[in-house]
Amino acid sequence: FLRHARSRNYASESEMCKLESVPLDFGDYHPLKPITVTESKTKKMNRKESTSSTSSSSSSSVMDPLSSVLDGTDPLSLFAAAADPVTVTPTMDGARRKRDKDDSSAVGSDFEPWSSKRGEILARYTTTEKLSINLYMGSEKGKAATSGSAVSEKVRTRLEELDDLEEGSQKELLNLTQQDYMNRIEELNQSLKDAWSSDQKVKALKIVIQCSKLLSDTTVIQFYPSKFVLITDILDTFGKLVYERILSMCADNRVSLPDNFSPESVNDTAKETCLNWFFKIASIRELIPRFYVEAAILKCNKFLSKTGISECLPRLTSMIRGIGDPLVAVYARAYLCRVGMEVAPQLKESLNKNFFDFLLTFKQIHGDTVQNQLVGQCVEMPLYLTLYSPAIDWILQCIAYHAPEVLLTEMMERCKKLGNNALLLNSVMSAFRAEFIAARSMDFIAMIKECDESGFPKHLLFRSLGLNLALADPPENDRLQILNEAWKVITKLKNPQDYVNCAEVWVEYTCRHFTKREVNTVLADVIKHMTPDRAFEDAYPQLQSIIQKVITYIYDFSLLFSVEKFLPFLDMFQKESVRVEVCKCIMESFIKHQQESTKDPVILNALLHICKTMHDSVNALTLEDEKRMLATLINGFIKMVSFGRDFEQQLSFYVEARSMFCNLEPVLVQLIHSVNQLAMETRKVMKGNHSRKTAAFVRACVAFCFITIPSLSSIFTRLNLYLHSGQVALANQCLSQADAFFKAAVSLVPEVPKMISVDGKMRPSDAFLLEFLCNFFSTLLVVPDHPEQGVLFLVRGLLNVIQDYTWEDNSDDKVRIYTNVLHLLSAMTQEAYIYHVDKVDSNDTLYGGDSKFLAEINKLCETVIAQILDHLKTLGKEETLKRQSQLALYFFNTIVAHGDLRNNKLNQLSVNLWNLAQKHGFADTKTMVKTLEYIKRRSQQPEMSHFTDLALRLPLQSRT
């Protein structure tokens, strides 16, 4: 075969295969220009007419090109056309205009909803004391009323049912745990929904009244905020059910009211039902349930009059004045604000009046009644004051939303009149915009200094101020004074937890506005406070936050590591899992912000220590995803290290890194690639002409790779790295080292398992092995023979390994590999090879077309062809005929591409393979036709006239 291999002139073949370059005039067309779709004037188009548009006008807006075909006859258009255009369109347009008008005063996405605070309150305000609850026991009254009863009788019965509740139709459950209490409340919520769905509206109202009464009970006072959250969930459910019930009664002819309807569009039945609900609620005797239930259905006033809500809000605000307990009263005000912001956020005057009422009664908190209550429940004043925070914060958030700056000034004045109460001051700073607070930072500091702590410590006020200053900048001239004033208070705190909660906030302010000197001072102070008694062990989240803030603002790592106390600060993270998380944060920041490579010894030593910490956390239980993440971070660091032209120092760094990160395979792989790249950079600097020194250095690089590769577990990673490193050695004229790599790769092939894990799934390895061997063959073409070994010793060794390898019974990869070997052997017979390695003499130069060399190649070729033909014979069974057909065609194409078909034997073999491919009807007709056309085209090229005879001998057989 190869004695008759086709002589190749690669340069002329490459020139012949180039695409013809034709100048194109695009005109106005460009593939990236926006497309303008033209709308056809033709009403209907069939397939033939669609190619030529009669008249088209350029559409100003992009239109759907399919819409003209439908001509408005799609189902949605039919429904729209069926509706009365006279009545529907004006109504919808009016509703839209109204909605747009109202949206300007509606609550936007920048308003933090109550739902986001709910979970925090439930988690914070808990108790271990026993709780009690009154459960509604139901009544048989009212079930006797028949459909024929008089209206007055029906009303009287319902009123009796309401009285029944107040007269004791309930059961008190005592000694409940907090979880039992929450479960009971959830049962009541479900009972409410069940009663409503079964049309027992009075029972539903009874449940809501009963739940509202629970809000007057402060026997377990520290649980009150959580109780408020649970009970108001039921009230919200009730309010929604009532509103949707009345709204459904307004629907005429299945057309529901628009979102912003007017009372005139509500029918009389709905209005009467709505009034009925308000009358029922007005008959509740106790103030607290009457207030809460009416507030829950406040939105229903929309059905009665335009001014209903604006008239009700002041009245409900005044009702709260009748609640004697200041804690119960402030939560009632919070609920009114909550409902008010949902239904009428524009009525800020009523919300402001609500808060100012609270300020007038604020001194009640320090009255004898409250003091006696606290003594009775053994509750300290600081704990009691924190119970007010959720309610006051919410009220102020509602008032401060989109409020002008002048309102903050007014609030500050009112706080001063109340002796700068710390609780109020804290809520004011939490509610108003950070820009307003920051601009008045010094005023707030003065107020904090003079404030009456009353059990609410000053450091919490400085923390709230710091949170605002993290979001907005104070006046530049005040910045240092603000930090000094705040830190005077913070550094005196004895409790480590209180200290670190404040320090965490003010670290961000320091990093944002000051230099590394101030940051270093703050970190030193934190270390001083948190080291005694290992207090840092209880403050890891806050300490992590401090680190995160420091690296967010100081991302120049040469500057960061020059902060003297930064690394000692890291030493406080002694819990391994936390320390690793902190190290990951630092490395992520480094990879994200480090633009240029570095050789700074301070940075390298610090980051090596951090990477070593991450690496050492890996053990047998570490998840693969975690290993992958750690390896990615360490690799990112390794890639950013560069010593410039000091290649020896660079190699020393890689050697040190290998010893430090030996448990993470992806890091070792990266190091091998980096060392190979270093060798190629050395070659580039020397322009391929190595001196004695650089040749020794390159050999050291090669030795690094040769030693490191066997420690890897993935067999295909090893194979590919042996090949890659061998290519690098060859490029650097390290011929014996290159041979060693290639021999190692050949000896590793028998160890390839039948199945390998790919992305967690087991897959056959044949396809991966085939891909690797094809790449290997491409390299072996330019590898010169060793003077002490036989001709083509590497190719022979690889063929022996392939022959001995146990292939799957249903696999043809062995034959495909042999066919690729024929490509290699054909290329080896050429006078000049298709490619070479610079300054390396390949076999075409070494042997110079010697006949003995060609004879050796010919023997190899005959052996390979015999193997291919033997395999084709074994595929003669019925179930393998399709595989036989495909392989025969594949081998045929190889002969056409690489063989000299002027040789009769080769010509006959190709004809036999063509016929075999078609023999049993499994050949793809299109493929056969295209192959034949290709042969005919080749016959028209110079010195290819013999292809004409071949084409005549290749019949096309039909499948039948």
Side-chain angles (χ1 to χ4, degrees):
F1 169 63
L2 287 174
R3 276 182 299 182
H4 308 289
R6 183 164 65 87
S7 296
R8 309 286 292 272
N9 185 331
Y10 292 118
S12 62
E13 284 185 34
S14 175
E15 195 64 34
M16 192 183 301
C17 294
K18 278 186 181 176
L19 293 174
E20 184 181 358
S21 58
V22 179
L24 293 176
D25 182 15
F26 284 102
D28 291 333
Y29 169 74
H30 190 279
L32 299 180
K33 270 190 177 181
I35 300 169
T36 305
V37 180
T38 57
E39 183 184 3
S40 176
K41 298 289 185 185
T42 317
K43 284 287 181 184
K44 291 184 180 180
M45 298 163 63
N46 59 29
R47 192 177 289 262
K48 291 179 182 177
E49 291 168 340
S50 64
T51 55
S52 58
S53 172
T54 52
S55 64
S56 61
S57 61
S58 211
S59 173
S60 59
S61 63
V62 179
M63 295 189 66
D64 179 7
L66 302 178
S67 59
S68 57
V69 180
L70 291 169
D71 193 27
T73 57
D74 63 292
L76 297 179
S77 299
L78 288 173
F79 281 123
D84 184 4
V86 180
T87 58
V88 172
T89 308
T91 306
M92 294 306 290
D93 288 348
R96 188 179 291 109
R97 279 196 297 273
K98 271 195 153 189
R99 191 181 299 115
D100 292 343
K101 181 181 177 184
D102 282 5
D103 277 351
S104 62
S105 61
V107 174
S109 59
D110 55 338
F111 183 82
E112 187 181 5
W114 174 259
S115 57
S116 67
K117 298 176 180 291
R118 182 181 179 281
E120 183 186 343
I121 294 172
L122 288 173
R124 182 178 175 189
Y125 298 97
T126 59
T127 183
T128 56
E129 294 189 32
K130 298 299 180 182
L131 303 160
S132 63
I133 190 171
N134 293 321
L135 278 182
Y136 169 63
M137 297 305 295
S139 172
E140 295 302 315
K141 294 182 181 181
K143 293 183 182 177
T146 62
S147 56
S149 303
V151 174
S152 58
E153 179 68 25
K154 188 176 181 181
V155 171
R156 187 168 70 251
T157 304
R158 289 194 171 177
L159 288 173
E160 285 174 2
E161 286 183 334
L162 289 175
D163 290 340
D164 184 39
L165 174 70
E166 300 195 2
E167 289 166 8
S169 65
Q170 37 190 324
K171 175 185 176 183
E172 188 172 17
L173 297 177
L174 303 172
N175 296 324
L176 297 176
T177 64
Q178 178 181 317
Q179 189 57 50
D180 291 338
Y181 188 93
M182 294 172 74
N183 293 340
R184 296 292 183 185
I185 294 292
E186 183 55 40
E187 286 174 17
L188 285 172
N189 201 355
Q190 190 57 47
S191 299
L192 168 65
K193 295 175 184 175
D194 294 342
W196 192 272
S197 60
S198 59
D199 207 28
Q200 297 181 57
K201 304 295 187 294
V202 172
K203 181 180 177 182
L205 180 58
K206 285 182 178 183
I207 293 170
V208 175
I209 294 170
Q210 173 199 346
C211 291
S212 303
K213 280 187 173 185
L214 296 173
L215 290 173
S216 61
D217 174 24
T218 56
T219 50
V220 184
I221 202 163
Q222 62 267 40
F223 185 63
Y224 191 84
S226 291
K227 182 197 289 187
F228 172 79
V229 169
L230 297 169
I231 300 299
T232 51
D233 284 350
I234 295 177
L235 288 164
D236 293 342
T237 301
F238 177 72
K240 186 178 178 184
L241 290 170
V242 173
Y243 182 81
E244 290 177 351
R245 163 74 174 152
I246 300 170
L247 186 65
S248 67
M249 297 173 72
C250 299
D252 292 325
N253 299 324
R254 296 185 178 180
V255 178
S256 60
L257 289 177
D259 290 341
N260 295 293
F261 59 85
S262 64
E264 292 77 19
S265 58
V266 179
N267 59 44
D268 292 340
T269 308
K271 283 184 176 179
E272 184 181 350
T273 304
C274 186
L275 279 170
N276 188 26
W277 275 109
F278 280 110
F279 291 153
K280 284 178 185 174
I281 292 165
S283 69
I284 300 171
R285 294 174 190 172
E286 293 185 30
L287 171 61
I288 289 177
R290 184 167 72 251
F291 163 79
Y292 272 108
V293 180
E294 183 173 353
I297 66 165
L298 181 66
K299 190 176 181 181
C300 294
N301 279 286
K302 291 171 65 177
F303 297 110
L304 301 176
S305 69
K306 290 182 179 178
T307 58
I309 293 174
S310 58
E311 289 168 359
C312 276
L313 276 175
R315 180 172 56 78
L316 290 170
T317 302
S318 300
M319 281 173 68
I320 299 172
R321 294 175 183 174
I323 300 175
D325 190 313
L327 184 65
V328 177
V330 77
Y331 275 94
R333 295 184 193 283
Y335 187 66
L336 188 59
C337 284
R338 182 170 136 199
V339 175
M341 285 299 284
E342 286 176 8
V343 301
Q346 70 277 11
L347 299 176
K348 284 289 184 68
E349 297 81 6
S350 298
L351 301 180
N352 293 351
K353 182 174 181 290
N354 190 4
F355 183 68
F356 295 144
D357 270 8
F358 164 69
L359 293 181
L360 291 172
T361 60
F362 187 74
K363 291 181 180 177
Q364 279 183 288
I365 292 175
H366 303 288
D368 292 341
T369 309
V370 172
Q371 294 296 335
N372 294 336
Q373 185 184 19
L374 296 184
V375 170
Q377 296 196 37
C378 301
V379 174
E380 299 290 333
M381 179 56 77
L383 174 61
Y384 177 67
L385 288 176
T386 61
L387 303 178
Y388 283 81
S389 293
I392 298 175
D393 288 349
W394 177 259
I395 294 169
L396 278 168
Q397 180 186 325
C398 296
I399 292 171
Y401 183 66
H402 288 179
E405 203 166 350
V406 67
L407 181 62
L408 175 58
T409 308
E410 184 180 351
M411 287 291 179
M412 291 172 72
E413 290 301 321
R414 286 180 178 264
C415 283
K416 287 177 184 176
K417 288 179 184 177
L418 288 168
N420 290 330
N421 183 275
L423 178 65
L424 288 178
L425 205 54
N426 189 62
S427 293
V428 167
M429 286 191 289
S430 301
F432 281 86
R433 286 175 58 189
E435 293 82 0
F436 296 169
I437 305 294
R440 295 169 171 74
S441 297
M442 291 307 299
D443 295 336
F444 274 104
I445 286 176
M447 291 173 72
I448 291 170
K449 281 181 174 180
E450 298 170 8
C451 81
D452 170 22
E453 291 192 63
S454 300
F456 198 95
K458 283 184 181 179
H459 68 83
L460 293 180
L461 299 177
F462 276 107
R463 186 177 192 278
S464 295
L465 180 60
L467 288 170
N468 281 288
L469 295 179
L471 299 172
D473 299 333
E476 192 168 348
N477 295 334
D478 297 337
R479 289 175 185 174
L480 184 58
Q481 189 179 353
I482 290 168
L483 179 61
N484 288 333
E485 293 290 347
W487 209 259
K488 279 179 195 174
V489 175
I490 295 168
T491 196
K492 289 177 183 175
L493 294 172
K494 301 296 182 189
N495 185 317
Q497 205 62 41
D498 292 341
Y499 171 84
V500 79
N501 283 334
C502 289
E504 172 198 358
V505 173
W506 282 90
V507 161
E508 182 166 5
Y509 174 78
T510 311
C511 293
R512 187 165 171 162
H513 299 298
F514 298 99
T515 64
K516 71 171 187 177
R517 177 173 163 270
E518 288 80 8
V519 174
N520 191 58
T521 305
V522 170
L523 292 181
D525 197 57
V526 175
I527 294 170
K528 177 184 171 185
H529 278 78
M530 301 308 295
T531 304
D533 301 324
R534 298 177 69 86
F536 52 78
E537 290 182 345
D538 299 319
Y540 283 139
Q542 293 90 335
L543 296 175
Q544 274 184 272
S545 176
I546 289 173
I547 286 287
Q548 188 66 58
K549 286 165 183 172
V550 170
I551 61 179
T552 298
Y553 289 96
I554 308 179
Y555 44 78
D556 178 351
F557 275 71
S558 58
L559 182 62
L560 179 66
F561 289 124
S562 66
V563 176
E564 186 183 341
K565 294 296 179 181
F566 182 74
L567 290 176
F569 192 95
L570 289 182
D571 292 337
M572 286 196 292
F573 295 98
Q574 293 187 12
K575 185 179 178 183
E576 187 181 60
S577 59
V578 180
R579 187 167 70 245
V580 171
E581 284 303 316
V582 171
C583 291
K584 281 159 68 174
C585 285
I586 295 171
M587 292 311 302
E588 284 168 2
S589 177
F590 176 79
I591 291 166
K592 179 180 178 182
H593 294 110
Q594 189 74 18
Q595 300 296 325
E596 297 176 353
S597 55
T598 181
K599 62 177 180 179
D600 185 330
V602 176
I603 294 178
L604 296 188
N605 288 331
L607 291 183
L608 273 173
H609 171 69
I610 288 169
C611 289
K612 176 69 171 165
T613 301
M614 294 193 300
H615 169 270
D616 291 349
S617 70
V618 175
N619 55 44
L621 300 178
T622 307
L623 297 174
E624 286 301 320
D625 283 349
E626 177 72 7
K627 288 182 184 177
R628 197 177 299 117
M629 179 186 289
L630 294 176
T632 302
L633 293 173
I634 295 172
N635 285 343
F637 163 60
I638 289 170
K639 290 175 186 175
M640 294 305 297
V641 176
S642 172
F643 291 88
R645 286 290 185 90
D646 191 350
F647 291 159
E648 290 183 351
Q649 183 67 36
Q650 187 83 32
L651 182 59
S652 298
F653 169 77
Y654 291 143
V655 171
E656 183 183 1
R658 180 179 63 183
S659 66
M660 294 177 76
F661 308 127
C662 55
N663 289 333
L664 288 172
E665 191 161 303
V667 178
L668 295 179
V669 172
Q670 176 61 45
L671 287 170
I672 292 167
H673 284 306
S674 297
V675 170
N676 278 329
Q677 185 179 356
L678 187 62
M680 293 307 289
E681 284 177 8
T682 308
R683 177 181 181 274
K684 183 179 178 182
V685 169
M686 300 302 293
K687 297 180 181 177
N689 298 309
H690 283 298
S691 64
R692 180 179 296 179
K693 184 178 180 181
T694 60
F697 174 75
V698 168
R699 285 196 293 273
C701 292
V702 170
F704 176 99
C705 298
F706 193 76
I707 293 167
T708 310
I709 293 173
S711 64
L712 304 176
S713 61
S714 170
I715 193 159
F716 278 103
T717 303
R718 276 186 279 161
L719 282 171
N720 286 313
L721 285 174
Y722 274 134
L723 177 57
H724 182 222
S725 302
Q727 291 166 343
V728 170
L730 196 61
N732 283 282
Q733 299 121 52
C734 302
L735 301 185
S736 59
Q737 287 84 354
D739 281 351
F741 278 116
F742 297 140
K743 283 178 183 177
V746 170
S747 63
L748 193 58
V749 170
E751 297 178 23
V752 175
K754 298 292 175 290
M755 306 290 286
I756 57 170
S757 177
V758 180
D759 297 330
K761 295 181 179 178
M762 298 306 292
R763 301 279 173 84
S765 62
D766 291 3
F768 298 95
L769 184 57
L770 175 62
E771 180 186 1
F772 166 75
L773 290 173
C774 289
N775 290 336
F776 199 2
F777 294 150
S778 301
T779 303
L780 290 178
L781 174 65
V782 292
V783 177
D785 280 347
H786 193 284
E788 296 176 5
Q789 304 285 345
V791 177
L792 301 179
F793 73 102
L794 283 173
V795 177
R796 290 175 185 276
L798 188 55
L799 283 174
N800 290 334
V801 166
I802 294 168
Q803 174 65 27
D804 295 338
Y805 188 80
T806 308
W807 300 88
E808 292 290 331
D809 293 337
N810 59 348
S811 170
D812 297 319
D813 287 330
K814 183 177 180 180
V815 172
R816 294 183 186 280
I817 290 170
Y818 280 147
T819 311
N820 279 285
V821 171
L822 290 179
H823 302 170
L824 168 64
L825 296 175
S826 170
M828 283 182 163
T829 62
Q830 306 302 318
E831 289 184 14
Y833 291 171
I834 188 170
Y835 48 81
H836 293 86
V837 176
D838 189 31
K839 297 190 171 55
V840 174
D841 290 334
S842 297
N843 286 339
D844 56 340
T845 306
L846 293 179
Y847 290 107
D850 183 78
S851 57
K852 290 181 180 179
F853 173 66
L854 295 177
E856 288 293 332
I857 294 177
N858 188 46
K859 285 180 185 177
L860 275 179
C861 184
E862 288 174 358
T863 305
V864 171
I865 291 177
Q867 291 283 345
I868 294 174
L869 294 177
D870 286 345
H871 186 79
L872 284 173
K873 289 176 185 176
T874 64
L875 297 178
K877 298 175 184 177
E878 188 174 349
E879 62 271 16
T880 55
L881 290 176
K882 185 174 182 180
R883 285 165 55 196
Q884 185 188 56
S885 171
Q886 292 171 343
L887 284 179
L889 184 60
Y890 187 58
F891 189 23
F892 170 83
N893 287 331
T894 296
I895 293 175
V896 169
H898 298 278
D900 185 354
L901 292 174
R902 286 174 292 196
N903 176 271
N904 292 333
K905 287 185 178 179
L906 207 55
N907 200 306
Q908 186 59 48
L909 176 59
S910 64
V911 172
N912 292 342
L913 289 169
W914 176 268
N915 292 330
L916 181 61
Q918 298 184 96
K919 185 175 181 181
H920 300 286
F922 287 105
D924 180 47
T925 307
K926 287 184 180 178
T927 304
M928 304 301 283
V929 169
K930 287 182 179 178
T931 305
L932 192 55
E933 288 174 356
Y934 166 77
I935 291 170
K936 290 177 179 176
R937 282 198 306 274
R938 287 281 301 275
S939 67
Q940 297 170 8
Q941 295 174 6
E943 300 182 7
M944 290 292 178
S945 56
H946 56 282
F947 270 57
T948 306
D949 298 333
L950 177 64
L952 294 174
R953 299 179 63 197
L954 301 178
L956 280 174
Q957 297 175 6
S958 65
R959 284 180 177 272
T960 54

